[in-house]
Amino acid sequence: MEKTQKSKKRLKTAKELTQIITDFYLEGHRAKAEGKPVGWMPPMNGAIEIFYAMDLEPAFPENWSPVCAAFGLTPGDFSVAEGMGFSQDLCGYLRNITGFIYGVFGKDTVPLGGLPEPDILLSPGAGCIPAMKIFHIIERRFPNAKVFYADLPQVAVEDIKKHHLDYAKQEIHRLIDFLTSITKRKMDYDRLAEVVRLSDEACALWDEICSYRRFIPTPISAAEIGIMFVMVTRQGTQIAVDFLTKVRDEVRERAEGKIGIIENEKLRLFWDNIPLWYNMGLFNYFEKMGGVVVAETYSAAWSIRLDVKNPLDALAMKSLMSYPLVSCVSIKKRKEMVLKACREYSIDGAILHRNKSCVPITLGQMDIKRELEEKLGIPSVIIDADHMDERNFSVAQFQTRVDAFMEMLHEKKGIT
Amino acid sequence: MPFGFSLFLWRKYRGIYMMDTKNISARLDSIAHAREKYEQNLSRPGAIPKKIIGYFCTYTPRELIHAAGFLPVRVPGGHVRAERADSLVPSFICPYMRAATERALRGDFRAISGIVTSYTCDVACGVTNVWGENIAGEIFKNIPLPYNDSSDSRTFLRSELLDTAEKLNGLGGAFSLESLASSLDLYDRIRELILNLYTLLFEMRLPFSADTLASILGASEIVEPEEFLALTHDFIDEVKGAPPDAYEGIPVIVSGSLVEEPRAFIIIEQSGGRIVGDDLCTGFRPHVPARGKGKDPMDALIDRLLRRFPCPSRSRAVGRLPFLFDLIGHTNARGVIFLFQKFCTPHLADYPIIVEELKKHDIPSMLFEIEETGFAEGQLRTRCEGFFEMLGGS
């Protein structure tokens, strides 16, 4: 096994993703050239719908990191950031983006042209600390960009109350006012309603696609998680709906035809935490032992249905829920979610990625591990790695742990 | 006990300067003993005749907890090798949180009824929730503080704090705006005392060194505020009347997160430095400003929280710089020593920016990380000696 490798994808539609990714970045550069304001923002909040509704161009530095990992830019970016004094103990997204904007940003050699230069920065006051600090660094690098200092209550999903929602809504109004004042574009609320409807439709499709994971053999695996790109970057657009409809149709067809990811599916696995973006091929590693990674936690952030009749409420609620749902802000809820998925998808074993680059998702994992064992009798294995920095990943250690784990699962299930 | 030796060390290394300060020495003894007693009692349910609520971050509105009739206590970490904690938390979080979790699992905090802490960093939030799943207690709550200061954010925070107060009342508390006014007054007075001591530190007029001041601050985080105020009654006058510590060293500021171990300060000073101020979670930062303003006690509490000397979890590096430069200018410090908890993302992320700006002003700095095993004393000493030599010390 290589330290860095791409995953083997089985869905035909997943292969179309390359074009969607290329189009997204080309569109960003075209927008910039045409004078359309480009705004950089963190993922997992309602700002993307606001941007699309106001015909502004969103870009996602955090999401650019997996693309950097896929193109092999990360080591160079890390080198720049670490040379500036950013510690190797910091999140890989933070070091990658920092190195990118202070390194190869704007150079012709950057794949897909990289990120278009920002006119607007939506600097978060919420999400994880690295997400906030990334934007503090970006603000310094692009001093001419107009900065919206966002704020959002960081609260467990089960504890959300009216005052949290009220404040989140006030922040959305403030964002709209800010964008209006600096771009002179007014919000068309009918258009916003349509964008929110499309966003919800994408969520519904996402849920439907995920629901086919209950089929044995599973028609879709975590190796296809790249389709999540449209949920991060295209939520609220017809592009996302059209693409996910195709994915749904193909997955449904495979489910009905009992076409699995591999020929002889013996073990169904669950992955907790962010994948190793530089080694998505890891998801295929289990296949030689009859294992398929059926589901993962990270995708849950995109399963939040929106109240299309109340677009602003819906976006406020989405903003409040998305990050806590997959992080240590809502350990209880996350645990419930994992257990529910493992039950519904008939999971045999779980792989818990103890991710040095993501403390908020790693915290709470041991509770998930215990409950999987105690409540569902599902064993799990911990893999020490890092979603961005391959230096924190040992292939040999991974293989040793996973091979022993898979052997144990084989024995437990009586597979010869 | 993790802190019991502080006073001993202080006497050992700095006793020479304390010849005329017997009263102060006795006071410091009392304060240290009170702190030790309270810390020991955290493992003895019922020893403190009040419900104890722990917190991790100094942004926690402890006045609110106190106003409900409970004792707010910053959960101590200390020098503990985490073993049991590995069953709950990863190795790559700060040593403080790992030590606190280890001690909770060992039963050191059996008398603590739960955690109410402000959300400032991912680790504090996550560990609070992990404790909620694994450690006995009645309440485990993160308070989401707004990052912006506006009328909307203040209204939101008011609702959030009232909601927290309601939860505390649900545990048998008796929060009211009147009780909050009394609690605010107590803590405001403590902060004022501490800021007065800092003024003397800045002017090098304290009769003792920064490690001793740190021990006093540590006591203020755990001892009943009424008792702490009684222990320090007229203390400031005695301190002002005593001859200043004449120790000569290169004046430096210490900046970072939690430094629970005053020994680090002693090593810095033994290596040729003199600590004349700090920008620490466990030091100067949480006490500024001493009081908030508002039409009622809740508004005053909110006002203080939102106008606090900024920490990197809640502000930009550039937002912190004016405060840091002000401290440096005010104290004539010639350098900055950064003391970070290992893996502390907020501080590590700000560090290169702060250093870049310090360099522009020809202010040298060095960084030392506090690991789980505590201070590598020899390493810190060697680094400090080199640093002070570079600064022109002997």
Side-chain angles (χ1 to χ4, degrees):
Chain A
M1 191 173 75
E2 300 295 321
K3 196 156 190 178
T4 59
Q5 57 186 347
K6 293 188 190 318
S7 63
K8 205 182 290 171
K9 295 177 182 63
R10 272 43 177 249
L11 295 184
K12 279 180 245 145
T13 41
K15 288 170 189 163
E16 287 178 26
L17 191 64
T18 311
Q19 192 55 49
I20 287 181
I21 294 172
T22 306
D23 289 349
F24 176 75
Y25 288 101
L26 288 179
E27 183 187 289
H29 288 284
R30 198 166 48 242
K32 182 76 190 170
E34 289 169 359
K36 185 173 172 180
V38 172
W40 287 15
M41 64 181 70
M44 301 203 283
N45 56 69
I48 181 171
E49 285 88 353
I50 302 288
F51 263 60
Y52 280 128
M54 293 182 79
D55 195 27
L56 301 168
E57 192 65 27
F60 303 87
E62 187 172 313
N63 187 246
W64 172 246
S65 285
V67 182
C68 289
F71 280 109
L73 294 180
T74 312
D77 293 342
F78 283 167
S79 170
V80 173
E82 288 161 16
M84 292 168 71
F86 289 94
S87 164
Q88 272 195 37
D89 287 332
L90 287 163
C91 158
Y93 281 160
L94 184 146
R95 280 177 291 134
N96 182 68
I97 290 300
T98 302
F100 173 72
I101 59 175
Y102 279 98
V104 296
F105 178 83
K107 295 202 172 131
D108 295 340
T109 49
V110 178
L112 307 171
L115 294 167
E117 191 168 336
D119 303 296
I120 301 163
L121 297 174
L122 202 158
S123 197
C128 61
I129 294 283
M132 286 190 261
K133 290 295 172 189
I134 285 171
F135 273 85
H136 296 175
I137 295 163
I138 294 172
E139 286 170 27
R140 199 168 160 81
R141 168 68 178 80
F142 299 103
N144 295 326
K146 304 285 184 207
V147 183
F148 178 73
Y149 301 98
D151 201 350
L152 197 66
Q154 198 95 299
V155 61
V157 172
E158 62 273 24
D159 293 333
I160 294 174
K161 292 194 169 168
K162 186 177 173 296
H163 64 276
H164 301 117
L165 190 61
D166 287 346
Y167 188 51
K169 262 166 68 180
Q170 283 163 350
E171 282 297 288
I172 288 176
H173 280 295
R174 202 168 64 81
L175 172 63
I176 294 170
D177 291 347
F178 169 84
L179 293 173
T180 304
S181 76
I182 62 161
T183 67
K184 310 297 172 209
R185 290 168 192 233
K186 284 195 174 162
M187 171 61 87
D188 174 345
Y189 284 90
D190 290 336
R191 171 80 188 124
L192 180 66
E194 173 61 9
V195 167
V196 170
R197 188 193 65 73
L198 287 168
S199 193
D200 180 58
E201 202 176 330
C203 291
L205 284 161
W206 184 260
D207 280 352
E208 197 183 341
I209 292 164
C210 290
S211 74
Y212 286 109
R213 291 168 156 175
R214 70 184 187 278
F215 281 76
I216 300 174
T218 182
I220 180 171
S221 79
E224 255 78 23
I225 196 179
I227 59 173
M228 196 174 75
F229 181 86
V230 294
M231 296 305 281
V232 181
T233 63
R234 293 296 197 183
Q235 221 180 355
T237 69
Q238 193 63 46
I239 298 168
V241 170
D242 290 348
F243 176 68
L244 292 172
T245 303
K246 282 189 200 170
V247 175
R248 188 269 320 269
D249 291 348
E250 187 186 358
V251 170
R252 185 166 58 192
E253 199 182 305
R254 287 174 73 104
E256 286 167 358
K258 296 194 181 304
I259 305 165
I261 288 296
I262 55 173
E263 266 186 27
N264 188 11
E265 179 186 294
K266 292 176 182 168
L267 291 170
R268 295 166 65 82
L269 305 167
F270 185 88
W271 178 278
D272 184 55
N273 217 315
I274 304 173
L276 279 58
W277 295 120
Y278 49 87
N279 194 332
M280 295 298 282
L282 219 61
F283 285 133
N284 301 115
Y285 180 76
F286 308 91
E287 294 171 2
K288 66 172 184 181
M289 293 160 276
V292 179
V293 183
V294 175
E296 70 294 305
T297 26
Y298 200 43
S299 54
W302 319 108
S303 280
I304 299 162
R305 297 298 303 273
L306 306 178
D307 176 3
V308 294
K309 288 181 186 154
N310 298 294
L312 291 177
D313 284 52
L315 296 181
M317 194 51 107
K318 177 190 169 189
S319 303
L320 285 170
M321 285 177 69
S322 299
Y323 168 69
L325 204 55
V326 293
S327 72
C328 62
V329 178
S330 261
I331 286 180
K332 263 192 180 50
K333 200 79 190 164
R334 187 171 134 221
K335 206 168 55 180
E336 276 172 32
M337 208 170 67
V338 171
L339 262 66
K340 184 171 176 278
C342 287
R343 213 178 279 123
E344 284 178 0
Y345 302 151
S346 311
I347 296 296
D348 297 305
I351 301 125
L352 309 178
H353 170 202
R354 188 154 55 193
N355 184 353
K356 185 160 184 278
S357 260
C358 192
V359 168
I361 301 186
T362 300
L363 273 168
Q365 252 178 352
M366 300 308 278
D367 296 294
I368 291 173
K369 181 177 168 56
R370 195 185 55 239
E371 290 221 358
L372 279 173
E373 183 71 52
E374 286 174 4
K375 291 194 172 163
L376 302 180
I378 296 175
S380 53
V381 64
I382 289 174
I383 301 300
D384 288 295
D386 189 307
H387 68 249
M388 282 301 289
D389 197 337
E390 65 187 64
R391 292 170 294 183
N392 294 323
F393 171 59
S394 156
V395 174
Q397 194 192 66
F398 173 82
Q399 283 178 319
T400 309
R401 284 193 195 173
V402 165
D403 290 355
F405 181 64
M406 293 297 279
E407 211 171 289
M408 183 269 287
L409 289 180
H410 274 251
E411 271 177 37
K412 187 170 180 272
K413 223 178 165 182
I415 300 167
T416 50
Chain B
M1 292 306 297
F3 303 101
F5 51 81
S6 169
L7 204 61
F8 166 74
L9 286 171
W10 163 65
R11 282 176 173 155
K12 182 178 174 191
Y13 293 117
R14 306 297 287 276
I16 188 169
Y17 303 110
M18 296 293 296
M19 287 182 297
D20 303 322
T21 55
K22 280 183 185 161
N23 287 345
I24 293 174
S25 184
R27 289 277 203 147
L28 293 171
D29 268 340
S30 310
I31 294 168
H33 289 145
R35 179 184 182 179
E36 203 171 306
K37 181 187 78 186
Y38 272 84
E39 190 165 332
Q40 281 168 357
N41 284 340
L42 294 182
S43 65
R44 298 172 186 151
I48 297 171
K50 249 187 180 188
K51 202 164 264 188
I52 303 168
I53 301 290
Y55 66 90
F56 295 123
C57 174
T58 58
Y59 263 96
T60 303
R62 53 186 179 163
E63 299 88 341
L64 191 89
I65 298 167
H66 187 264
F70 305 146
L71 177 64
V73 164
R74 190 180 71 75
V75 178
H79 270 190
V80 179
R81 181 177 282 280
E83 288 166 359
R84 297 181 203 189
D86 282 333
S87 68
L88 296 183
V89 296
S91 58
F92 44 83
I93 62 168
C94 66
Y96 164 64
M97 282 297 178
R98 278 176 61 80
T101 302
E102 180 73 18
R103 294 184 65 190
L105 289 170
R106 285 184 190 178
D108 286 1
F109 307 137
R110 274 193 295 262
I112 294 183
S113 297
I115 300 290
V116 172
T117 195
S118 283
Y119 186 114
T120 41
C121 81
D122 301 325
V123 177
C125 167
V127 168
T128 300
N129 290 334
V130 167
W131 282 32
E133 298 289 303
N134 297 281
I135 309 286
E138 300 172 78
I139 184 168
F140 292 91
K141 179 174 168 50
N142 284 289
I143 301 173
L145 294 181
Y147 292 87
N148 293 338
D149 186 1
S150 65
S151 61
D152 283 348
S153 70
R154 286 182 178 226
T155 304
F156 159 70
L157 186 53
R158 190 178 176 97
S159 301
E160 183 62 29
L161 294 179
L162 287 171
D163 183 57
T164 306
E166 204 179 303
K167 284 195 167 67
L168 291 168
N169 280 354
L171 304 180
F175 173 87
S176 67
L177 285 181
E178 291 72 30
S179 63
L180 180 61
S182 306
S183 300
L184 260 180
D185 179 58
L186 290 171
Y187 285 100
D188 286 351
R189 279 158 54 205
I190 290 174
R191 282 187 285 266
E192 277 168 355
L193 165 75
I194 287 169
L195 290 183
N196 282 332
L197 291 172
Y198 265 103
T199 302
L200 298 175
L201 178 79
F202 297 159
E203 294 167 358
M204 290 199 261
R205 286 170 53 212
L206 268 186
F208 44 75
S209 55
D211 66 285
T212 303
L213 178 57
S215 296
I216 297 170
L217 265 61
S220 76
E221 293 173 327
I222 191 166
V223 176
E224 266 284 11
E226 295 90 339
E227 188 176 336
F228 182 81
L229 283 168
L231 284 166
T232 52
H233 182 68
D234 290 339
F235 182 54
I236 196 72
D237 295 330
E238 283 175 21
V239 167
K240 278 180 181 168
D245 178 354
Y247 174 74
E248 286 180 14
I250 294 175
V252 287
I253 297 284
V254 178
S255 174
S257 44
L258 281 103
V259 182
E260 290 188 299
E261 178 49 86
R263 209 152 37 118
F265 296 166
I266 294 169
I267 292 169
I268 290 170
E269 299 210 332
Q270 284 178 339
S271 307
R274 171 148 184 177
I275 298 168
V276 288
D278 74 69
D279 161 35
L280 296 171
C281 296
T282 42
F284 181 59
R285 206 191 295 134
H287 301 96
V288 182
R291 289 176 184 269
K293 292 173 189 163
K295 64 177 173 13
D296 70 7
M298 186 60 91
D299 275 0
L301 176 67
I302 290 167
D303 181 63
R304 202 192 85 76
L305 278 174
L306 294 183
R307 289 194 303 114
R308 256 193 52 174
F309 189 116
C311 100
S313 291
R314 301 192 32 81
S315 72
R316 288 154 178 79
V318 289
R320 295 172 54 212
L321 282 165
F323 290 86
L324 192 57
F325 280 123
D326 191 43
L327 254 184
I328 293 167
H330 196 67
T331 57
N332 295 315
R334 288 171 55 194
V336 177
I337 295 180
F338 292 98
L339 287 178
F340 294 168
Q341 291 271 322
K342 175 96 175 146
F343 303 116
C344 179
T345 292
H347 281 278
L348 288 172
D350 275 8
Y351 172 72
I353 299 169
I354 302 269
V355 169
E356 189 186 323
E357 294 299 319
L358 288 175
K359 275 183 187 162
K360 284 181 192 167
H361 291 80
D362 292 324
I363 299 165
S365 65
M366 63 163 262
L367 165 63
F368 196 81
E369 287 185 286
I370 304 164
E371 310 235 3
E372 189 167 316
T373 45
F375 286 99
E377 285 196 23
Q379 216 178 79
L380 177 61
R381 197 179 299 276
T382 308
R383 297 272 313 279
C384 286
E385 282 170 358
F387 183 65
F388 291 122
E389 198 177 310
M390 183 265 291
L391 282 175
S394 56

